[in-house]
Amino acid sequence: MSAACARKVGRPVRSSSTSKGSTLASETPALTGLWREAGQARAKEARLEVDEAFIAAVLDAEAHTLATAPLRDADVSARIGSIARRVTFPDGSVFETKDNDGIDRLLRGAGSRTAGVVSGLEQFRPRLIAFVLLTIVFCVAIYRYAVPALVEVAIWATPPAVTTAISQSVMVSLDNSVFAESTLPEARRKALSDGFSQLSALTPRGETQTPGSPAYTLNFRRGGSIGPNAFALPDGTVVLTDELVELAGSDDEIVLGVLAHEIGHVDHEHSLRQLYEAAGTAGLIMLIGGDIGAGTEDLLTQGAALVALSHSRGAEREADRFSVELMHKAGRDPAAVARFFELLQKKLGDTGSDDFLSTHPATPERIAETRRYAKEIEAAGK
Ligand SMILES: [Zn+2]
């Protein structure tokens, strides 16, 4: 803001009676410009004056009043570069002047809030900064709270038919591309299936399952390129590869520990949650609205296969704890999943890239934490 402008802010304009016969005058020279009657194209040279009471008047060369109104009732156009300013009077007549500074001086004198974009920005700056900061906070809040909330709504709103459809199409595509039929001996499969049924019956979903539609189903496959692995799909379909069973030798307990871990991923809706997080806000809104577009559908069916194989560290920790609790509940070794990770590390080291170890990293901390929790559960159970 210039010193010249600041000097007059908030002060009424003094009369300097340069025009005889008129009570209207201004401390500063009157603004010269053109005046047009409402609806008339022909313009007349005129000047604008404002008195102490902030009554604006347009006068012609003979000091005849052409238009007059309280300044607050006149509509003054905003300052945009050097474009002429228009003062529109209630009678529809318009005074136009290129004296932008003069208009701003008048408006400031009248305490108007419309005193030009430039000076307006000066006053606006602290509010502008606050506005930008608030916008950033708002966006962060949306990502921090709204997306997770939408994910929870989507999970809640997902009908079982959708999770079944996702899981079935994932199985079909994996069967067509990666898997082969299991070659495990029948007896081994039977023993593992029995153990799996015992575990799944003890889960919240298993407790409400009805005969004929089990909460979890165990599927044996030869893993091919995905090697020793196990994963779960959102509808409770659990896949176990022959390679993982072979890696475990004759120890069914550690295979069951892994299966309990996979059941944990389903129980905590990890796949669905991860899938929906990947779908993003737009996909979620479509999903909740029941309008599944082609893109969302692709993501759901193809993405499900990927997310089933890689969960976040937090999800892995939850599934580990679930395995410990479920194995303990079933009267089995709660530390079985930790033993499996130790076995993986010993046998595979860091050689495998597509195996269970790479998708479920068996860090020493993770093994130690699982063992610690198993001890705690056992101590509490005695
Ligand atoms: Zn896992």
PDB file of all heavy atoms in Angstrom, residues 4 6-7 50 76 83 96 111 141 158 168 177 190-191 198 200 259 319 332 336 361 372:
ATOM      1  N   ALA A   4       0.607   7.493  -0.102  1.00  0.00           N
ATOM      2  CA  ALA A   4      -0.461   8.403  -0.542  1.00  0.00           C
ATOM      3  C   ALA A   4      -1.829   7.807  -0.260  1.00  0.00           C
ATOM      4  O   ALA A   4      -2.760   8.512   0.128  1.00  0.00           O
ATOM      5  CB  ALA A   4      -0.320   8.700  -2.027  1.00  0.00           C
ATOM      6  N   ALA A   6      -2.448   5.378   1.995  1.00  0.00           N
ATOM      7  CA  ALA A   6      -2.620   5.142   3.427  1.00  0.00           C
ATOM      8  C   ALA A   6      -3.072   6.408   4.130  1.00  0.00           C
ATOM      9  O   ALA A   6      -3.844   6.363   5.067  1.00  0.00           O
ATOM     10  CB  ALA A   6      -1.301   4.649   4.023  1.00  0.00           C
ATOM     11  N   ARG A   7      -2.591   7.517   3.641  1.00  0.00           N
ATOM     12  CA  ARG A   7      -2.876   8.801   4.291  1.00  0.00           C
ATOM     13  C   ARG A   7      -4.375   9.077   4.403  1.00  0.00           C
ATOM     14  O   ARG A   7      -4.824   9.689   5.353  1.00  0.00           O
ATOM     15  CB  ARG A   7      -2.192   9.906   3.472  1.00  0.00           C
ATOM     16  CG  ARG A   7      -2.127  11.251   4.132  1.00  0.00           C
ATOM     17  CD  ARG A   7      -1.046  12.101   3.479  1.00  0.00           C
ATOM     18  NE  ARG A   7      -1.038  11.994   2.018  1.00  0.00           N
ATOM     19  CZ  ARG A   7      -1.833  12.728   1.228  1.00  0.00           C
ATOM     20  NH1 ARG A   7      -2.648  13.610   1.731  1.00  0.00           N
ATOM     21  NH2 ARG A   7      -1.755  12.587  -0.069  1.00  0.00           N
ATOM     22  N   VAL A  50     -17.369  13.052  -4.655  1.00  0.00           N
ATOM     23  CA  VAL A  50     -17.975  12.405  -3.483  1.00  0.00           C
ATOM     24  C   VAL A  50     -17.862  13.364  -2.313  1.00  0.00           C
ATOM     25  O   VAL A  50     -16.783  13.921  -2.076  1.00  0.00           O
ATOM     26  CB  VAL A  50     -17.259  11.079  -3.163  1.00  0.00           C
ATOM     27  CG1 VAL A  50     -17.817  10.456  -1.892  1.00  0.00           C
ATOM     28  CG2 VAL A  50     -17.381  10.105  -4.328  1.00  0.00           C
ATOM     29  N   VAL A  76     -19.332  -0.456  -8.001  1.00  0.00           N
ATOM     30  CA  VAL A  76     -18.027  -0.094  -8.567  1.00  0.00           C
ATOM     31  C   VAL A  76     -17.330  -1.364  -9.034  1.00  0.00           C
ATOM     32  O   VAL A  76     -17.170  -2.306  -8.259  1.00  0.00           O
ATOM     33  CB  VAL A  76     -17.162   0.629  -7.521  1.00  0.00           C
ATOM     34  CG1 VAL A  76     -15.836   1.060  -8.135  1.00  0.00           C
ATOM     35  CG2 VAL A  76     -17.907   1.829  -6.943  1.00  0.00           C
ATOM     36  N   ILE A  83      -7.774  -1.516 -16.897  1.00  0.00           N
ATOM     37  CA  ILE A  83      -9.106  -1.421 -17.510  1.00  0.00           C
ATOM     38  C   ILE A  83      -9.923  -0.344 -16.784  1.00  0.00           C
ATOM     39  O   ILE A  83      -9.860  -0.228 -15.559  1.00  0.00           O
ATOM     40  CB  ILE A  83      -9.826  -2.790 -17.431  1.00  0.00           C
ATOM     41  CG1 ILE A  83      -9.092  -3.803 -18.307  1.00  0.00           C
ATOM     42  CG2 ILE A  83     -11.297  -2.665 -17.834  1.00  0.00           C
ATOM     43  CD1 ILE A  83      -9.578  -5.211 -18.180  1.00  0.00           C
ATOM     44  N   GLU A  96     -17.695   6.093 -16.241  1.00  0.00           N
ATOM     45  CA  GLU A  96     -16.523   5.263 -16.522  1.00  0.00           C
ATOM     46  C   GLU A  96     -15.291   6.134 -16.486  1.00  0.00           C
ATOM     47  O   GLU A  96     -15.288   7.227 -17.065  1.00  0.00           O
ATOM     48  CB  GLU A  96     -16.705   4.653 -17.905  1.00  0.00           C
ATOM     49  CG  GLU A  96     -15.856   3.428 -18.156  1.00  0.00           C
ATOM     50  CD  GLU A  96     -16.200   2.815 -19.503  1.00  0.00           C
ATOM     51  OE1 GLU A  96     -17.274   2.189 -19.594  1.00  0.00           O
ATOM     52  OE2 GLU A  96     -15.412   2.977 -20.448  1.00  0.00           O
ATOM     53  N   GLY A 111     -14.442   3.665   3.079  1.00  0.00           N
ATOM     54  CA  GLY A 111     -14.310   2.437   3.869  1.00  0.00           C
ATOM     55  C   GLY A 111     -14.819   1.228   3.115  1.00  0.00           C
ATOM     56  O   GLY A 111     -15.209   0.230   3.708  1.00  0.00           O
ATOM     57  N   ALA A 141      -5.829 -34.615   5.955  1.00  0.00           N
ATOM     58  CA  ALA A 141      -6.859 -35.269   6.768  1.00  0.00           C
ATOM     59  C   ALA A 141      -7.674 -36.248   5.935  1.00  0.00           C
ATOM     60  O   ALA A 141      -8.022 -37.333   6.410  1.00  0.00           O
ATOM     61  CB  ALA A 141      -7.774 -34.222   7.397  1.00  0.00           C
ATOM     62  N   THR A 158     -19.269 -54.874   1.150  1.00  0.00           N
ATOM     63  CA  THR A 158     -18.999 -55.884   0.128  1.00  0.00           C
ATOM     64  C   THR A 158     -19.800 -57.154   0.409  1.00  0.00           C
ATOM     65  O   THR A 158     -19.604 -57.793   1.434  1.00  0.00           O
ATOM     66  CB  THR A 158     -17.491 -56.232   0.097  1.00  0.00           C
ATOM     67  OG1 THR A 158     -16.754 -55.038  -0.107  1.00  0.00           O
ATOM     68  CG2 THR A 158     -17.186 -57.210  -1.020  1.00  0.00           C
ATOM     69  N   GLN A 168     -12.827 -66.660  -6.944  1.00  0.00           N
ATOM     70  CA  GLN A 168     -12.937 -67.684  -7.991  1.00  0.00           C
ATOM     71  C   GLN A 168     -12.163 -67.281  -9.233  1.00  0.00           C
ATOM     72  O   GLN A 168     -11.458 -68.108  -9.820  1.00  0.00           O
ATOM     73  CB  GLN A 168     -14.409 -67.926  -8.337  1.00  0.00           C
ATOM     74  CG  GLN A 168     -15.069 -68.862  -7.333  1.00  0.00           C
ATOM     75  CD  GLN A 168     -16.565 -68.998  -7.548  1.00  0.00           C
ATOM     76  OE1 GLN A 168     -17.149 -68.298  -8.374  1.00  0.00           O
ATOM     77  NE2 GLN A 168     -17.187 -69.885  -6.790  1.00  0.00           N
ATOM     78  N   SER A 177      -2.460 -70.428 -15.353  1.00  0.00           N
ATOM     79  CA  SER A 177      -1.139 -69.897 -15.678  1.00  0.00           C
ATOM     80  C   SER A 177      -0.003 -70.504 -14.859  1.00  0.00           C
ATOM     81  O   SER A 177       1.058 -70.804 -15.404  1.00  0.00           O
ATOM     82  CB  SER A 177      -1.142 -68.378 -15.485  1.00  0.00           C
ATOM     83  OG  SER A 177      -1.551 -68.066 -14.171  1.00  0.00           O
ATOM     84  N   LYS A 190      -5.171 -85.473   3.487  1.00  0.00           N
ATOM     85  CA  LYS A 190      -6.271 -85.733   4.435  1.00  0.00           C
ATOM     86  C   LYS A 190      -5.893 -85.215   5.823  1.00  0.00           C
ATOM     87  O   LYS A 190      -6.674 -84.515   6.477  1.00  0.00           O
ATOM     88  CB  LYS A 190      -6.552 -87.242   4.454  1.00  0.00           C
ATOM     89  CG  LYS A 190      -7.513 -87.729   5.517  1.00  0.00           C
ATOM     90  CD  LYS A 190      -8.964 -87.669   5.013  1.00  0.00           C
ATOM     91  CE  LYS A 190      -9.938 -88.369   5.962  1.00  0.00           C
ATOM     92  NZ  LYS A 190     -10.008 -87.731   7.293  1.00  0.00           N
ATOM     93  N   ALA A 191      -4.673 -85.536   6.241  1.00  0.00           N
ATOM     94  CA  ALA A 191      -4.217 -85.120   7.575  1.00  0.00           C
ATOM     95  C   ALA A 191      -4.204 -83.591   7.681  1.00  0.00           C
ATOM     96  O   ALA A 191      -4.673 -83.018   8.682  1.00  0.00           O
ATOM     97  CB  ALA A 191      -2.828 -85.696   7.852  1.00  0.00           C
ATOM     98  N   GLN A 198     -10.192 -78.242  11.753  1.00  0.00           N
ATOM     99  CA  GLN A 198     -10.209 -78.039  13.201  1.00  0.00           C
ATOM    100  C   GLN A 198      -9.879 -76.577  13.538  1.00  0.00           C
ATOM    101  O   GLN A 198     -10.555 -75.958  14.358  1.00  0.00           O
ATOM    102  CB  GLN A 198      -9.188 -78.980  13.871  1.00  0.00           C
ATOM    103  CG  GLN A 198      -9.222 -78.926  15.390  1.00  0.00           C
ATOM    104  CD  GLN A 198      -7.840 -79.118  16.024  1.00  0.00           C
ATOM    105  OE1 GLN A 198      -6.831 -79.290  15.316  1.00  0.00           O
ATOM    106  NE2 GLN A 198      -7.802 -79.083  17.342  1.00  0.00           N
ATOM    107  N   SER A 200     -10.103 -73.881  11.469  1.00  0.00           N
ATOM    108  CA  SER A 200     -11.058 -72.902  10.945  1.00  0.00           C
ATOM    109  C   SER A 200     -12.362 -72.899  11.736  1.00  0.00           C
ATOM    110  O   SER A 200     -13.027 -71.869  11.845  1.00  0.00           O
ATOM    111  CB  SER A 200     -11.306 -73.111   9.451  1.00  0.00           C
ATOM    112  OG  SER A 200     -11.865 -74.377   9.208  1.00  0.00           O
ATOM    113  N   LEU A 259      -0.936 -72.199   7.874  1.00  0.00           N
ATOM    114  CA  LEU A 259      -2.346 -72.089   7.465  1.00  0.00           C
ATOM    115  C   LEU A 259      -3.126 -71.204   8.442  1.00  0.00           C
ATOM    116  O   LEU A 259      -3.986 -70.422   8.027  1.00  0.00           O
ATOM    117  CB  LEU A 259      -2.986 -73.484   7.368  1.00  0.00           C
ATOM    118  CG  LEU A 259      -2.411 -74.378   6.254  1.00  0.00           C
ATOM    119  CD1 LEU A 259      -3.048 -75.771   6.302  1.00  0.00           C
ATOM    120  CD2 LEU A 259      -2.603 -73.747   4.880  1.00  0.00           C
ATOM    121  N   ALA A 319      -1.299 -61.289  11.429  1.00  0.00           N
ATOM    122  CA  ALA A 319      -1.544 -62.689  11.043  1.00  0.00           C
ATOM    123  C   ALA A 319      -0.693 -63.635  11.889  1.00  0.00           C
ATOM    124  O   ALA A 319      -1.147 -64.725  12.257  1.00  0.00           O
ATOM    125  CB  ALA A 319      -1.257 -62.879   9.552  1.00  0.00           C
ATOM    126  N   ARG A 332      -2.491 -76.851  19.827  1.00  0.00           N
ATOM    127  CA  ARG A 332      -1.296 -77.153  19.030  1.00  0.00           C
ATOM    128  C   ARG A 332      -0.151 -76.223  19.431  1.00  0.00           C
ATOM    129  O   ARG A 332      -0.319 -75.396  20.328  1.00  0.00           O
ATOM    130  CB  ARG A 332      -1.636 -77.017  17.541  1.00  0.00           C
ATOM    131  CG  ARG A 332      -2.653 -78.036  17.065  1.00  0.00           C
ATOM    132  CD  ARG A 332      -2.950 -77.884  15.581  1.00  0.00           C
ATOM    133  NE  ARG A 332      -3.892 -78.901  15.119  1.00  0.00           N
ATOM    134  CZ  ARG A 332      -3.543 -80.123  14.709  1.00  0.00           C
ATOM    135  NH1 ARG A 332      -2.283 -80.498  14.715  1.00  0.00           N
ATOM    136  NH2 ARG A 332      -4.469 -80.970  14.301  1.00  0.00           N
ATOM    137  N   ALA A 336       4.483 -72.592  16.143  1.00  0.00           N
ATOM    138  CA  ALA A 336       4.728 -73.334  14.895  1.00  0.00           C
ATOM    139  C   ALA A 336       5.089 -72.417  13.730  1.00  0.00           C
ATOM    140  O   ALA A 336       5.988 -72.732  12.948  1.00  0.00           O
ATOM    141  CB  ALA A 336       3.502 -74.181  14.547  1.00  0.00           C
ATOM    142  N   PRO A 361       8.442 -61.771   4.657  1.00  0.00           N
ATOM    143  CA  PRO A 361       9.830 -61.717   5.126  1.00  0.00           C
ATOM    144  C   PRO A 361       9.989 -62.205   6.565  1.00  0.00           C
ATOM    145  O   PRO A 361       9.300 -61.741   7.468  1.00  0.00           O
ATOM    146  CB  PRO A 361      10.204 -60.238   4.995  1.00  0.00           C
ATOM    147  CG  PRO A 361       8.908 -59.523   4.837  1.00  0.00           C
ATOM    148  CD  PRO A 361       7.933 -60.476   4.257  1.00  0.00           C
ATOM    149  N   ARG A 372       8.097 -64.917  21.378  1.00  0.00           N
ATOM    150  CA  ARG A 372       7.796 -64.254  22.659  1.00  0.00           C
ATOM    151  C   ARG A 372       6.295 -64.299  22.938  1.00  0.00           C
ATOM    152  O   ARG A 372       5.856 -64.623  24.035  1.00  0.00           O
ATOM    153  CB  ARG A 372       8.287 -62.797  22.618  1.00  0.00           C
ATOM    154  CG  ARG A 372       8.208 -62.058  23.947  1.00  0.00           C
ATOM    155  CD  ARG A 372       8.124 -60.552  23.762  1.00  0.00           C
ATOM    156  NE  ARG A 372       6.922 -60.139  23.032  1.00  0.00           N
ATOM    157  CZ  ARG A 372       5.694 -60.136  23.544  1.00  0.00           C
ATOM    158  NH1 ARG A 372       5.486 -60.514  24.791  1.00  0.00           N
ATOM    159  NH2 ARG A 372       4.647 -59.770  22.803  1.00  0.00           N
TER     160      ARG A 372
END
